[in-house]
């Protein structure tokens, strides 16, 4: 029985399956439109953001880690001192997600009933910082200090063998907060996964206040008033940020192969890599004439595909579904938003192309280090 | 001496000449003294004297910004203590770290520093998440959100540069993985797209010993000069910049009308 559960979890943890589940569930759990909201409520998913929902979630995660700590393979990974923060991060990200959604749903209910939000009356009342705030800060500070002291006494900081530039560990992992980027290296070259995507993340985050011109929902928790912006942010935060970190930490073993949490990290695991470039598919497999020597002709299909993805889709959307957005925000903001959104979609697209077609590169010009 | 004239120890201290010379207001008991105690103290005056009730509630801000700042202070103090013992050279770095836990009395300073650093990354991320979920980046706080994103980036870089200093296998390989990506920077890395375009005649300007990775490491691989560079970045340059950005951040919180609210 226990074995069956563990094997099931191992199976479901594969990025291809877990990501699909997350992506399918996402719009139903965080409905971006009224239509999805109808389904959200029909499926009773709004119950997640109640006290019972939170409690059930807590029990499940704790069971998961309990299972992990009692398992001979998973516990090895969980007990690595530098992985302990990831356990905190999983708990705290989910807890605070719940806490903010819980308050948002309470406020949405109030507003639907024509009442002001929970923060409204307290906001009118002024209190003195000494003692009201200074006291809370003092308590928070003491609790944090105690927590850190216990953690530091209980768990020695890791120290491995002295540095040896000739002996590389397998797997060699970046610090946990960069493991998301390292995970993206599976699907993209370093210039995208390590340079372009992080830069876009930073710039995209900075741009949020200039893109989101919705004046409602400022200074209190709410979801109904800001569905779309919260949906996009949570997609970036949970799917593009936290999820790859968790995969990179827990599920990537020797040779960066996938290992289910309860699987043994064996160096011997061989995964057949037979990835093929788009140009190979076209010229060799379909047309059977061999690769042209001029790289631009060779990669023309991929280049057209990428240009169409970033160039044509925004124009098509501007005439159709997103016309209202264009009119509201103007062409510059509109163009940047759609570009960033398409870049955010590029990761899952490439992942699925890899899993289904074994596609290596859409454009492959290794002569100029330009592979997408 | 009559009983009612006997003063408690507490009020003797707070009434003493030394105490009153340090604190510009007496220990606050009345409303106006409480207001003044915030205004007259350089540390407390980061706060306003009065705030809306919702803004001091834990369930609104989660205290995450405040905790991030506190963790930064813990990191500064424990970091200074570590600097007394640590020498950033290939010869000594590793053994100094070993000595820290084996020779130094109460040697948990390294643990405190490392776990606090992890914790700070977490609290800063959660703080950003809170600010988003309360919509607090909306006008007039747009720019402070931008400053916040810079603070997040700086926090990650601080943590990353510190990761190399123990000079063990974990350290150099994590940094090797991380900095290898810099090779592929478009135009500026020697294996980046477009780098070949930056050439005069036949001479490439961006090579293995002149690209961004080289600038970061001070060499072609993670070695002596990389250790020194990361040490200086970690202990001097980045803390200096982050402190300036934090000052801007706190100043703007006050100028933008304190903590956001529904009014
Ligand atoms: C080193 C990192 C940081 C420190 C020490 C810090 C500190 C603080 C503090 C003490 C506050 C007061 C309210 C609170 O505690 O929530 C605050 C508010 C704020 N922070 Fe940060 N912060 C940091 C990073 C960030 C980041 C990463 C962002 C966003 C990307 C951000 C954006 C903001 C904004 C917009 C406010 C105003 C919130 C409001 O009025 O409700 N900060 N920060």
């Amino acid at each position: 029985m226990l074995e069956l559960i563990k094997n099931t979890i191992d199976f479901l943890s594969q990025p291809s399956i877990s990501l699909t589940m997350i992506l399918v569930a996402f719009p139903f759990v965080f409905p971006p439109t009224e239509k999805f909201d109808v389904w959200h409520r029909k499926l009773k998913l709004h119950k997640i953001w109640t006290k019972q929902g939170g409690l059930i979630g807590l029990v499940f995660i704790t069971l998961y880690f309990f299972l992990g700590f009692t398992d001979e393979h998973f516990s090895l990974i969980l007990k690595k001192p530098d992985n302990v923060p990831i356990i905190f991060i999983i708990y705290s990200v989910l807890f605070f997600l719940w806490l903010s959604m819980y308050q948002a749903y309470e406020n949405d209910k109030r507003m639907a009933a024509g009442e002001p939000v929970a923060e409204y009356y307290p906001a009118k009342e002024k209190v003195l910082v000494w003692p009201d705030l200074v006291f809370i800060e003092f308590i928070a500070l003491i609790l944090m200090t105690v927590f850190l002291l216990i953690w530091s006494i209980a768990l020695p900081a890791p120290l491995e063998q002295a540095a040896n530039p000739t002996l590389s560990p397998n797997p060699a992992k970046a610090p946990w907060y960069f493991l998301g980027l390292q995970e993206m290296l599976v699907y993209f070259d370093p210039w995208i996964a390590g340079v372009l995507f992080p830069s876009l993340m930073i710039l995209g985050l900075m741009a949020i206040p200039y893109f989101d011109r919705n004046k409602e929902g400022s200074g209190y928790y709410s979801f109904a008033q800001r569905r779309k912006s919260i949906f996009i942010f949570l997609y970036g935060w949970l799917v593009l940020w936290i999820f790859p970190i968790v995969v990179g930490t827990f599920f990537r073993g020797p040779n960066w192969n996938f290992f289910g949490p309860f699987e043994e990290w064996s160096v011997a695991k061989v995964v057949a890599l037979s990835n093929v470039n788009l140009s190979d598919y076209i010229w060799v497999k379909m047309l059977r004439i061999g690769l042209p020597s001029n790289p631009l002709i060779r990669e023309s299909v991929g280049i057209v595909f990428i240009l169409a993805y970033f160039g044509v889709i925004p124009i098509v959307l501007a005439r159709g579904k997103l016309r209202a957005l264009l009119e509201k925000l103007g062409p510059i903001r509109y163009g940047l938003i759609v570009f960033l959104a398409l870049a955010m979609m590029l990761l899952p697209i490439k992942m699925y192309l890899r899993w289904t077609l074994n596609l290596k590169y859409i454009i492959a010009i290794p002569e100029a280090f330009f592979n997408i | 001496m009559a009983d009612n004239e006997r003063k408690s120890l507490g009020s003797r201290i707070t009434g003493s000449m030394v105490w009153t010379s340090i604190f510009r207001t007496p220990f606050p008991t009345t409303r106006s003294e409480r207001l003044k105690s915030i205004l007259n103290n350089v540390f407390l005056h980061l706060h306003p004297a009065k705030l809306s009730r919702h803004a001091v509630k834990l369930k609104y801000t989660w205290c995450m910004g405040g905790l991030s700042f506190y963790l930064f202070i813990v990191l500064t103090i424990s970091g200074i203590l570590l600097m007394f013992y640590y020498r950033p050279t290939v010869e000594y770095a590793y053994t100094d770290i070993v000595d820290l836990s084996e020779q130094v009395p109460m040697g948990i300073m390294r643990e405190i520093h490392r776990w606090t650093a992890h914790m700070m990354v977490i609290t800063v991320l959660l703080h950003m998440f809170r600010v988003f979920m309360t919509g607090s980046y909306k006008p007039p706080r747009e720019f402070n959100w931008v400053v916040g994103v810079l603070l997040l980036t700086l926090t990650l870089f601080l943590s990353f540069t510190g990761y190399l200093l123990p000079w063990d296998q974990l350290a150099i390989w994590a940094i090797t993985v991380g900095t290898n990506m810099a090779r592929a920077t478009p135009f500026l890395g020697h294996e980046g797209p477009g780098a070949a375009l930056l050439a005069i005649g036949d001479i490439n300007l961006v090579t293995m010993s002149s690209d961004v990775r080289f600038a970061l490491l001070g060499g072609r691989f993670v070695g002596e000069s990389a250790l020194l560079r990361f040490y200086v970045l970690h202990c001097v340059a980045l803390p200096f910049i982050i402190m300036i950005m934090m000052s801007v951040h706190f100043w703007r919180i006050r100028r933008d009308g304190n903590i956001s609210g529904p009014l």
Side-chain angles (χ1 to χ4, degrees):
Chain A
M1 180 61 195
L2 199 62
E3 272 314 293
L4 186 70
I5 297 180
K6 287 183 179 176
N7 288 341
T8 317
I9 296 182
D10 277 348
F11 176 75
L12 295 179
S13 302
Q14 289 178 63
S16 51
I17 294 178
S18 50
L19 184 77
T20 308
M21 292 195 304
I22 294 177
L23 286 183
V24 171
F26 220 71
F28 294 97
V29 179
F30 307 103
T33 59
E34 302 291 336
K35 266 191 209 146
F36 276 109
D37 192 53
V38 175
W39 279 102
H40 174 68
R41 287 180 196 271
K42 259 192 211 156
L43 295 168
K44 302 243 180 292
L45 290 174
H46 62 288
K47 297 249 158 119
I48 303 175
W49 313 123
T50 59
K51 286 191 175 149
Q52 295 92 319
L55 218 61
I56 293 173
L58 185 73
V59 170
F60 266 104
I61 303 167
T62 309
L63 270 179
Y64 180 74
F65 282 120
F66 179 76
L67 216 59
F69 273 107
T70 50
D71 181 84
E72 57 169 329
H73 303 308
F74 199 8
S75 63
L76 284 183
I77 305 163
L78 287 177
K79 283 181 186 157
K80 262 201 197 131
D82 267 350
N83 284 350
V84 171
I86 320 273
I87 303 175
F88 285 147
I89 239 212
I90 291 177
Y91 268 104
S92 52
V93 162
L94 292 176
F95 171 74
F96 284 108
L97 176 68
W98 175 84
L99 183 64
S100 54
M101 289 300 279
Y102 169 77
Q103 296 188 66
Y105 270 49
E106 292 283 301
N107 276 343
D108 289 347
K109 241 190 275 168
R110 282 166 192 265
M111 284 185 284
E115 294 168 32
V117 293
E119 290 90 347
Y120 182 79
Y121 290 114
K124 290 193 148 181
E125 189 191 338
K126 294 279 177 206
V127 295
L128 295 183
V129 165
W130 182 293
D132 290 77
L133 179 59
V134 177
F135 181 70
I136 293 178
E137 286 177 342
F138 188 60
I139 300 283
L141 208 137
I142 299 217
L143 289 181
M144 183 54 104
T145 311
V146 170
F147 175 74
L148 288 171
L149 277 176
I150 294 177
W151 187 4
S152 303
I153 293 170
L155 193 71
L159 190 66
E160 300 190 351
Q161 301 295 311
N164 181 350
T166 56
L167 186 76
S168 85
N170 185 9
K173 289 197 179 186
W176 62 265
Y177 36 83
F178 287 146
L179 280 185
L181 305 181
Q182 205 178 345
E183 176 62 20
M184 287 190 229
L185 279 178
V186 176
Y187 307 97
F188 286 104
D189 269 15
W191 76 274
I192 297 183
V195 184
L196 190 67
F197 277 171
S199 316
L200 287 182
M201 278 181 206
I202 294 172
L203 293 177
L205 276 175
M206 285 181 176
I208 287 176
Y210 306 95
F211 288 163
D212 178 8
R213 303 293 298 268
N214 176 4
K215 290 215 171 53
E216 287 182 323
S218 165
Y220 53 93
Y221 291 94
S222 98
F223 185 76
Q225 291 182 330
R226 306 169 55 208
R227 285 181 189 289
K228 291 199 177 63
S229 56
I230 293 188
F231 178 82
I232 298 174
F233 182 81
L234 287 182
Y235 170 77
W237 167 245
L238 296 174
V239 180
L240 297 184
W241 200 313
I242 304 294
F243 174 75
I245 289 183
V246 173
V247 172
T249 315
F250 289 154
F251 306 147
R252 290 296 182 180
N255 306 325
W256 210 254
N257 282 332
F258 168 81
F259 289 87
F262 303 103
E263 221 177 302
E264 187 185 356
W265 279 19
S266 133
V267 193
K269 178 165 178 173
V270 184
V271 178
L273 278 183
S274 53
N275 293 334
V276 183
N277 291 331
L278 183 61
S279 43
D280 287 320
Y281 267 116
I282 307 266
W283 300 103
V284 182
K285 293 205 170 160
M286 277 170 59
L287 301 177
R288 297 177 188 283
I289 50 177
L291 291 176
S293 55
N294 183 330
L296 288 181
I297 298 174
R298 186 185 71 211
E299 302 301 328
S300 48
V301 179
I303 295 174
V304 168
F305 178 83
I306 292 290
L307 286 181
Y309 182 73
F310 283 110
V312 178
I313 292 180
I315 297 173
V316 173
L317 286 177
R319 301 183 159 215
K321 278 205 145 176
L322 294 185
R323 167 169 253 151
L325 188 73
L326 173 65
E327 272 159 17
K328 200 168 115 201
L329 297 179
I332 296 179
R333 279 205 186 86
Y334 170 83
L336 288 172
I337 290 182
V338 178
F339 170 73
L340 286 172
L342 288 172
M344 282 166 90
M345 297 302 298
L346 204 58
L347 180 70
I349 290 178
K350 183 82 190 275
M351 287 168 140
Y352 280 108
L353 287 175
R354 175 69 55 84
W355 296 328
T356 53
L357 302 175
N358 283 328
L359 185 79
K360 192 166 180 202
Y361 293 124
I362 301 171
I363 301 177
I365 312 182
E367 299 91 328
F369 302 111
F370 190 83
N371 303 321
I372 297 179
Chain B
M1 205 197 290
D3 251 357
N4 55 3
E5 275 182 4
R6 188 178 291 151
K7 287 183 183 162
S8 72
L9 182 63
S11 57
R12 262 172 205 263
I13 294 176
T14 58
S16 72
M17 192 175 162
V18 176
W19 179 280
T20 50
S21 72
I22 298 174
F23 298 100
R24 299 193 63 234
T25 19
F27 190 82
T29 47
T30 67
R31 187 183 156 83
S32 83
E33 281 170 0
R34 283 176 172 171
L35 284 171
K36 278 195 202 139
S37 70
I38 297 290
L39 298 176
N40 282 339
N41 183 303
V42 65
F43 301 109
L44 291 178
H45 101 287
L46 286 174
H47 300 105
K50 282 190 278 182
L51 260 180
S52 301
R53 179 169 286 290
H54 81 282
V56 306
K57 281 204 176 147
L58 208 50
K59 69 174 185 195
Y60 186 71
T61 66
W62 313 340
C63 210
M64 278 302 161
L67 282 176
S68 306
F69 183 49
Y70 172 63
L71 293 177
F72 178 74
I73 293 171
V74 173
L75 284 165
T76 311
I77 297 172
S78 54
I80 290 173
L81 292 175
L82 289 175
M83 284 172 80
F84 287 144
Y85 294 96
Y86 174 86
R87 287 162 289 178
T89 62
V90 169
E91 194 181 354
Y92 295 122
Y94 182 74
T95 47
D96 283 350
I97 296 285
V98 174
D99 283 354
L100 264 172
S101 52
E102 290 181 358
Q103 311 294 335
V104 181
M106 299 268 293
I108 58 163
M109 211 37 74
R110 192 175 153 236
E111 276 74 16
I112 296 203
H113 196 73
R114 193 180 187 101
W115 302 142
T116 307
H118 282 313
M119 205 63 210
M120 181 171 165
V121 175
I122 299 179
T123 55
V124 172
L125 283 174
L126 290 173
H127 171 59
M128 175 179 83
F129 179 64
R130 185 293 281 183
V131 171
F132 183 87
M133 291 305 275
T134 54
S136 305
Y137 56 85
K138 301 191 176 196
R141 297 182 180 80
E142 314 95 298
F143 185 66
N144 217 13
W145 169 271
V146 176
V147 175
V149 177
L150 287 175
L151 283 172
L152 170 67
T153 319
L154 286 166
T155 308
L156 291 176
F157 266 116
L158 265 169
S159 192
F160 183 65
T161 47
Y163 217 82
L164 181 65
L165 304 184
W167 204 248
D168 63 344
Q169 282 288 72
L170 200 62
I172 68 157
W173 288 103
I175 303 305
T176 305
V177 170
T179 49
N180 272 348
M181 300 199 196
R183 266 200 253 255
T185 313
F187 299 108
L188 300 178
H190 74 278
E191 286 180 2
L197 300 176
L198 300 178
I200 303 175
D202 277 347
I203 305 163
N204 273 339
L205 293 183
V206 182
T207 65
M208 217 185 199
S209 12
S210 66
D211 64 350
V212 273
R213 180 165 176 275
F214 190 90
L216 195 62
L217 296 179
R220 270 176 274 149
F221 50 88
V222 180
E224 181 84 51
S225 0
L227 182 56
L228 184 60
R229 273 185 199 200
F230 274 48
Y231 177 76
V232 173
L233 284 174
H234 185 74
C235 302
V236 186
L238 292 173
F240 175 71
I241 302 172
I242 205 172
M243 277 198 295
I244 293 178
M245 296 315 288
M246 279 189 191
S247 321
V248 177
H249 197 57
F250 298 155
W251 174 256
R252 283 299 298 245
I253 297 172
R254 299 290 308 277
R255 293 293 125 169
D256 294 339
N258 299 325
I259 305 297
S260 56
L263 300 178

